[in-house]
Amino acid sequence: MSNSVSNTPAQQALRQVRTEVQQQTRILQNLIPPTVSYTTEGSVLVIGPEDLARLAADKLSSMAGCVILANEAVTSQDEAHLERVMAAAENVETYYNKLLSVKGFLGQFQVAVEHNGSAAELSLVALRKAHFDLILDLSREPVIQLEMLPPGYFYVGQDPAKLAQALEELPQMVGQFDKPRYVKINADICAHYRNGVNGCNRCLNFCPADAIKSVAQQIEVDPYLCHGAGSCSNACPTGALTYDLPTPQALHSYLHKLISRFLEKSGTAPVILFHDATQGAALISSELPGDVLPVELEEITVAGMDHWLAALAWGARQILVLNTAATAPSLTQMLQGELSLTNTLLQEIGQPARISLIGETELLELWPILDSSMGWPLTVPATFEADSKRAILFAALDYLNQQAAQAKHRLPLSNVPFGQVLVKTDDCTLCMSCVATCPTQALQDGGDKPALYFVEQDCVQCGLCEASCPEKVISLQSSVNLDQPSRQQRQTLKEEAPFECIRCGAPFATQSMVHRMLEMVGAHNAFSAHIDRLKMCGDCRVKDMFEEILNDPEKQLR
């Protein structure tokens, strides 16, 4: 297909169908979404070379308060330039203290400087206030080194165009501002920390705004710093972190309806194009090829493997993810890893590599990309509904596998949240420490029967079981098992008959646990004379001790 056919009757008909489907289909949103509020009075700190900072501060006379922190040398010794500097911002205090740290967000910036030999809050020294509301940074390098900068922090460097835009926006940043609370946390299924043992840290590695912290062994998201990138919920293997605008279920439902309705009305398998709500949205036009369905997200990392695979299983022939300059480099890196993994899985099950990350150039020349996918096998649409993140990911993968190669092998992969738990059964005492720490119940006990069971599909390879095992007999093996029955069935890792009390016959421990105690303490002086007590239940052990005292009351004194 070429540009010459981009406006054919067939294309015009597809575009009409797309418009109708988009008008009929909406992502269900919370009518009253949770928000966070910023409040500012307009106090601003200008950081940078004194000459540039004074010239900028001179144009901020309408702000409630303005302070200059000169942290770099004057940029020019030109006399005319210096005369303008000396005449500018005459009533604005300038400080030359060493900058120690900057943290916070719109309305709550804490700026620590060296003052009289110790650290001090510059806002208290300069304005008698607990914080600055806004920061204008003209330094050569930003004083806040983050890919996604906090709201209220304007880094312009020495770019005149960026400075002009910031000077126009700053006076408008006074009052109260609301922002969505993008992410929810379900601590009950979080694999970060259990019983004092560290496990999964995936979300901590992918936040470009540094909005996620581990506090008192729990994951916390600062909603004031969060930009809604969605990388944390994308990386979370258990679904403990979920995006809330839209929810995963709402996005799945929307994709299902969008694809199904387009297929029904056009008879053509669509291409899903995910794009962000800012730069990406500005590039989308009605002139897109008619079989391309654009899906707008806050950030392109909001959709992940489960959404891509589900869309393919529901009948989309290809997934395109539009990457622009607005996407933080770490998010691009994450996307490339996720796309590579997903395409590897697709190829292992006999499917084409149906997912692509494209840039602005490719968006303008989509026809070659679409031409390549026109000859791919069509997928009979699946009928499964949206469920939990992990369940829908595997449901889609298994369905696509059934439609193609019906592969049943295991694919070894490193650093993925899928795989096996391996146990050295000879040394395992079935103490169940691993079961107590497993956040997904992939590991289960045998109830009244001494046994350890494992469901591979539920394992997220967090490592909590391995770290908590007192015998150190557990190891992890990351991989993707393409055989659905074996992955979903409950496997027996170890089972044994219970050890029965030699006195009353009641089961009270596992065979291996009692044998281990006999090996470890049986030869000790304190137990050598009463080795049989280790083979008794708690009640019988106490009875045996009292009977001995009754039979020989003075023995305890000898």
Side-chain angles (χ1 to χ4, degrees), residues 467-483:
S468 64
C469 177
E471 286 98 17
K472 304 303 177 187
V473 298
I474 291 179
S475 61
L476 304 180
Q477 186 182 77
S478 60
S479 60
V480 177
N481 185 358
L482 298 174
D483 182 33

Side-chain angles (χ1 to χ4, degrees), residues 265-558:
K265 290 179 178 291
S266 70
T268 300
V271 173
I272 297 297
L273 172 63
F274 290 110
H275 64 86
D276 68 76
T278 54
Q279 287 194 25
L283 296 171
I284 302 300
S285 74
S286 59
E287 297 305 310
L288 273 177
D291 52 352
V292 176
L293 305 184
V295 176
E296 181 177 305
L297 305 170
E298 186 75 18
E299 296 283 348
I300 51 177
T301 39
V302 170
M305 284 180 63
D306 52 322
H307 298 101
W308 303 335
L309 289 173
L312 294 174
W314 286 324
R317 79 170 189 266
Q318 190 175 16
I319 305 294
L320 303 177
V321 183
L322 176 59
N323 194 26
T324 69
T327 305
S330 64
L331 299 186
T332 299
Q333 182 181 3
M334 176 188 179
L335 274 172
Q336 289 170 337
E338 290 287 291
L339 264 71
S340 176
L341 171 60
T342 312
N343 279 329
T344 296
L345 294 177
L346 288 172
Q347 291 174 321
E348 287 291 324
I349 62 175
Q351 293 275 1
R354 295 181 181 269
I355 308 172
S356 300
L357 186 67
I358 66 170
E360 297 180 30
T361 301
E362 291 92 342
L363 179 67
L364 298 174
E365 300 176 0
L366 269 183
W367 297 111
I369 298 174
L370 301 181
D371 280 347
S372 67
S373 67
M374 286 297 291
W376 291 347
L378 296 178
T379 300
V380 177
T383 57
F384 60 82
E385 296 292 334
D387 198 347
S388 68
K389 173 180 180 176
R390 200 171 186 84
I392 200 168
L393 186 154
F394 277 115
L397 181 64
D398 290 334
Y399 183 81
L400 292 169
N401 190 10
Q402 294 165 12
Q403 294 280 304
Q406 300 184 27
K408 296 185 181 298
H409 62 281
R410 179 181 297 278
L411 180 63
L413 294 166
S414 60
N415 195 32
V416 295
F418 316 105
Q420 295 176 289
V421 169
L422 305 178
V423 176
K424 296 177 183 177
T425 55
D426 291 344
D427 298 322
C428 174
T429 62
L430 292 175
C431 69
M432 299 304 161
S433 295
C434 55
V435 174
T437 58
C438 182
T440 63
Q441 296 186 322
L443 288 167
Q444 303 167 9
D445 62 35
D448 295 334
K449 180 180 179 181
L452 178 61
Y453 301 122
F454 174 63
V455 180
E456 182 176 350
Q457 180 160 306
D458 295 334
C459 177
V460 297
Q461 298 282 291
C462 63
L464 286 171
C465 57
E466 184 179 24
S468 64
C469 177
E471 286 98 17
K472 304 303 177 187
V473 298
I474 291 179
S475 61
L476 304 180
Q477 186 182 77
S478 60
S479 60
V480 177
N481 185 358
L482 298 174
D483 182 33
Q484 179 183 3
S486 67
R487 190 184 64 242
Q488 292 181 339
Q489 72 181 11
R490 190 178 72 170
Q491 307 169 34
T492 301
L493 297 183
K494 180 172 183 178
E495 63 181 350
E496 60 184 43
F499 192 95
E500 296 177 350
C501 176
I502 60 174
R503 179 166 174 160
C504 70
F508 72 95
T510 65
Q511 294 273 350
S512 54
M513 181 70 77
V514 174
H515 293 154
R516 178 64 60 84
M517 287 193 298
L518 292 172
E519 291 173 5
M520 294 178 65
V521 301
H524 195 278
N525 292 339
F527 294 93
S528 57
H530 305 287
I531 191 70
D532 283 347
R533 283 181 183 163
L534 295 176
K535 303 175 185 178
M536 297 179 189
C537 65
D539 290 342
C540 290
R541 196 175 302 130
V542 172
K543 290 177 182 178
D544 190 66
M545 292 171 62
F546 273 100
E547 286 175 0
E548 183 181 46
I549 294 172
L550 290 174
N551 291 333
D552 187 0
E554 297 182 0
K555 184 175 181 180
Q556 302 298 315
L557 303 176
R558 292 199 294 268

Side-chain angles (χ1 to χ4, degrees), residues 193-214:
Y193 239 99
R194 288 291 176 103
N195 299 341
V197 178
N198 181 257
C200 176
N201 295 299
R202 290 178 178 268
C203 61
L204 295 171
N205 299 329
F206 286 109
C207 181
D210 200 27
I212 304 179
K213 303 287 185 184
S214 176

